[in-house]
Amino acid sequence: MDAGPAVTNPTLDLLERRRSTRAYAPVPLTEEEKAAIIRAAVRAPTAGNMLLYSIIEIEDQALKDRLAVTCDNQPFIATAPWVLVFVADWQKWTDLFEAGGAYELDGLEHRRTVGPGDLLLACSDALIAAQNAVVAAESVGIGSCYIGDVLENGEIHAELLDLPPHTLPIAMLCFGRPARPQEPIAHYDRFVVHLNRYRRLSPAELAEVDADLQRMHEPHGLPPGVSTHAQAVYRRKFASSFMAEMNRSAAWWIDRWTHGEL
């Protein structure tokens, strides 16, 4: 098990304490707090300094209520004091290329499609910015929770958020002051860190990891019908109906991204 870092400072302590917050005190964020979090987000590293993302601030309560349903029926989304959607965005650049006469340049093999590499870079930009927002919020006592389910129900979310073709909502974040004290969650570096090259674990190592993960995440025992932590995660996550929808929608988003007209 990971005993935790020997080196510490206020930033590392903050990151060690951080956990997802799904119950919020009924206290709104101040405009100053919102501005500071947004500022931290846009200070994040970005590919080529192109800011390949956009942030949609969800203020309308009816829209939050709807997202709480379409994002896998999670009522706490509707109660979050502040909600941001981080969007991988090449649309603003293709619009700017058109407006700025980029397609009139001589001596180039012009591109008329936005490809998967563009998508991956934009997703990276958006997620790095989102994590900056998470850390900034935590530093002023505001908790957060990532909502990956905004990728589901692609047709619905594209319409709800009025998203053009070369955009993809890679993550939604709910922010608010925790309604109760938060206990930190242990993490297990052995399941994450490799040296120099990727190394697949042996069956004996995998059995040890499974037992360690079970002790961390299910200390009171496994749910009925499963005998390992791997089985529990497989049933609850990987083979679930919501992941089937996530994968269907992801394919829809990618096809829309690649084949939408410039």
Side-chain angles (χ1 to χ4, degrees):
M1 299 293 291
D2 179 17
V7 176
T8 187
N9 59 41
T11 301
L12 292 173
D13 290 343
L14 180 144
L15 293 171
E16 187 72 18
R17 293 193 307 270
R18 194 264 164 195
R19 62 170 295 179
S20 292
T21 300
R22 294 179 175 85
Y24 308 103
V27 181
L29 278 70
T30 67
E31 292 305 313
E32 292 77 12
E33 288 169 333
K34 291 180 181 179
I37 293 168
I38 292 291
R39 176 63 178 166
V42 300
R43 287 290 299 147
T46 169
N49 199 28
M50 293 177 68
L51 296 166
L52 297 172
Y53 64 93
S54 292
I55 303 170
I56 300 175
E57 183 177 4
I58 308 297
E59 285 190 337
D60 181 56
Q61 185 60 50
L63 181 53
K64 280 203 292 185
D65 293 342
R66 179 69 174 140
L67 288 167
V69 174
T70 59
C71 291
D72 209 33
N73 295 303
Q74 299 184 83
F76 76 88
I77 295 170
T79 68
W82 198 39
V83 176
L84 299 178
V85 180
F86 285 77
V87 179
D89 184 3
W90 261 97
Q91 187 69 56
K92 61 185 179 184
W93 275 103
T94 59
D95 290 346
L96 187 58
F97 293 156
E98 186 70 44
Y103 302 120
E104 300 169 11
L105 289 171
D106 294 329
L108 290 175
E109 184 177 345
H110 288 289
R111 291 176 57 191
R112 290 290 180 174
T113 59
V114 181
D118 302 309
L119 174 59
L120 291 176
L121 283 177
C123 287
S124 293
D125 271 16
L127 290 171
I128 294 166
Q131 186 60 15
N132 257 31
V134 164
V135 175
E138 196 75 20
S139 74
V140 293
I142 296 167
S144 59
C145 184
Y146 277 97
I147 310 295
D149 303 283
V150 74
L151 280 168
E152 295 179 42
N153 294 311
E155 298 88 340
I156 293 171
H157 290 146
E159 182 178 355
L160 277 177
L161 301 174
D162 200 17
L163 293 171
H166 305 301
T167 60
L168 183 151
I170 191 62
M172 186 162 73
L173 274 170
C174 294
F175 293 93
R177 292 173 177 81
R180 50 184 176 270
Q182 304 264 81
E183 291 296 327
I185 296 175
H187 295 280
Y188 193 24
D189 290 355
R190 183 176 176 184
F191 202 44
V192 177
V193 180
H194 301 254
L195 181 62
N196 295 323
R197 295 172 177 81
Y198 189 96
R199 186 180 74 84
R200 297 176 70 177
L201 300 180
S202 69
E205 289 172 319
L206 288 169
E208 183 180 345
V209 165
D210 191 278
D212 285 340
L213 291 173
Q214 180 185 328
R215 283 192 289 272
M216 282 196 307
H217 296 287
E218 298 174 289
H220 304 297
L222 292 163
V226 299
S227 59
T228 65
H229 182 70
Q231 288 181 354
V233 172
Y234 180 85
R235 185 173 69 180
R236 185 174 68 246
K237 295 286 188 180
F238 190 80
S240 65
S241 59
F242 80 81
M243 279 308 304
E245 167 54 23
M246 174 83 75
N247 283 310
R248 185 204 68 82
S249 275
W252 181 85
W253 284 115
I254 293 169
D255 181 72
R256 180 176 185 263
W257 173 282
T258 304
H259 296 107
E261 293 183 3
L262 290 180

